Amino acid sequence: MLRLTFLGTSAAQPTIHRNLTGLAVRRDRELFLVDCGEGTQRQMIRFGTGFDVGAIFFTHFHADHYLGAIGFLRTLSMQGRTTPMDVYGPRPAKRLLDVMLFTGTERLAFDVRIHEVGPGVEIRRDRCRMRAFATEHRTPSVGWALVEDERPGRFHPEKAAALGVPMGPSYGALQRGEPVTLADGRVVRPEEVVEPRRRGRAVVVTGDTRPCAGTIAAARGADVLVHDCTFGDAEAARAEETMHSTAREAARVAREAGVRELVLTHLSTRYDREWQPLVDEARAEWDGPLTVASDGMTLEVPLPDDLARAPSAG
Ligand SMILES: [Zn+2]
Ligand SMILES: [Zn+2]
């Protein structure tokens, strides 16, 4: 399972309909947060993501992206959490989070390990890694790419049987990529019975950014790109000035990176209930699957091979 739950999709200030930025990423047994704006914990309750967060990945330290961590970690402590929490983010993660989490408050019941990271840093998790990549914003910033490990190719027992491979340990050896010598001296090579290794899924989250080469490189061929879309064409100049992206610019990035699906988020209050212009402007550059995120929206990311087998959605 790989599921994204959009906890907050508003830029800078919350509205009745949209909270500040937060994204829950559930991958099998692991749960991550990418950014944790004020009010994120309540959104997690509301949308049922669970609180078993293994790590928080910050894109940058503008207030709308991190203030929710203070209350959330307090709640976890009151609930008796003892498992350490890993927190990753660009400068000044250490200075800022240290002050915020540990000054003038009771000690948390668990360790919070703060890791300051820059572009290129990879964090190994269960059968996947989170990779920080360079983005362009008004303050030190990174985007996060969740990249799953390759999976073994599909094994065809009927082919192995037809070649005379006896059922048992030889099957395992072939699946591990080892050739097998049969009793009559013939050698069966793994590629005769196992398909090539299959790529895992990749989900790329930019955080706040101008459209940039770092994102295009990180999102190359990704399944899902979640991109800053603070403004529309009408505020293209403001997007440049404040170092955000317009819908059109985000769509161009998606096209250049060749992603499968584009999700636009971090909307200026002006588009709170009226985001159709953003869709129309993005559509001029991108004809693939496109969604403007709303709070509570979930997105299941299928495995590429499941996708290939599924009937076309049209
Ligand atoms: Zn922001
Ligand atoms: Zn920002």
Side-chain angles (χ1 to χ4, degrees):
M1 174 216 271
L2 179 55
R3 177 192 296 146
L4 311 183
T5 304
F6 291 83
L7 301 168
T9 56
S10 186
Q13 4 178 335
T15 70
I16 288 181
H17 310 286
R18 297 177 187 271
N19 200 60
L20 296 173
T21 298
L23 176 67
V25 180
R26 166 72 67 186
R27 185 176 169 278
D28 298 335
R29 281 189 304 275
E30 282 204 297
L31 179 63
F32 304 142
L33 285 182
V34 180
D35 287 336
C36 187
E38 186 190 332
T40 293
Q41 59 173 333
R42 191 151 178 280
Q43 297 291 79
M44 295 169 77
I45 297 167
R46 194 171 163 207
F47 303 124
T49 60
F51 266 10
D52 53 329
V53 174
I56 306 176
F57 299 89
F58 289 104
T59 59
H60 66 298
F61 291 100
H62 277 152
D64 57 321
H65 291 254
Y66 76 90
L67 288 180
I70 306 175
F72 178 51
L73 296 178
R74 293 277 126 204
T75 301
L76 294 180
S77 189
M78 282 186 271
Q79 291 183 349
R81 176 175 173 131
T82 53
T83 324
M85 174 76 82
D86 286 297
V87 175
Y88 302 88
R91 274 189 306 119
K94 276 223 158 80
R95 181 169 57 76
L96 203 70
L97 294 175
D98 249 348
V99 170
M100 177 180 116
L101 300 175
F102 305 114
T103 305
T105 51
E106 267 172 64
R107 261 185 69 82
L108 293 171
F110 57 94
D111 279 344
V112 179
R113 303 183 291 220
I114 301 165
H115 311 268
E116 207 162 274
V117 300
V121 168
E122 282 196 355
I123 291 109
R124 190 77 228 163
R125 303 294 302 193
D126 179 32
R127 291 166 297 129
C128 71
R129 54 199 195 276
M130 284 293 267
R131 195 162 62 211
F133 63 90
T135 52
E136 295 175 11
H137 196 41
R138 306 194 302 279
T139 184
S141 63
V142 294
W144 287 101
L146 183 153
V147 182
E148 289 183 323
D149 295 349
E150 278 193 332
R151 292 162 302 131
R154 197 168 283 119
F155 175 63
H156 290 277
E158 75 288 354
K159 287 189 186 169
L163 290 166
V165 180
M167 208 184 285
S170 300
Y171 276 28
L174 287 163
Q175 281 171 282
R176 285 194 303 275
E178 300 159 15
V180 163
T181 306
L182 304 180
D184 61 8
R186 280 186 302 125
V187 174
V188 175
R189 286 170 294 112
E191 54 273 28
E192 294 179 80
V193 296
V194 183
E195 290 180 28
R197 292 178 69 78
R198 294 169 285 182
R199 76 166 180 90
R201 292 163 288 199
V203 172
V204 173
V205 183
T206 64
D208 296 2
T209 186
R210 290 292 297 144
C212 67
T215 301
I216 294 171
R220 183 79 58 210
D223 294 84
V224 178
L225 171 63
V226 180
H227 203 290
D228 177 331
C229 170
T230 309
F231 298 113
D233 283 354
E235 297 99 336
R238 261 202 90 200
E240 210 168 325
E241 194 182 304
T242 57
M243 300 200 75
H244 286 290
S245 299
T246 65
R248 182 184 298 273
E249 288 169 332
R252 247 180 236 146
V253 169
R255 193 185 65 216
E256 283 176 41
V259 303
R260 188 174 57 72
E261 176 162 5
L262 172 63
V263 181
L264 302 174
T265 189
H266 197 270
L267 273 60
S268 156
T269 50
R270 167 172 180 165
Y271 299 98
D272 188 39
R273 300 296 281 161
E274 284 162 26
W275 60 88
Q276 191 57 39
L278 301 177
V279 174
D280 296 342
E281 288 160 18
R283 271 282 166 246
E285 302 284 341
W286 166 254
D287 56 9
L290 166 70
T291 318
V292 173
S294 52
D295 285 22
M297 181 181 108
T298 59
L299 185 69
E300 306 274 350
V301 186
L303 285 165
D305 27 328
D306 289 343
L307 200 66
R309 274 202 302 274
S312 166

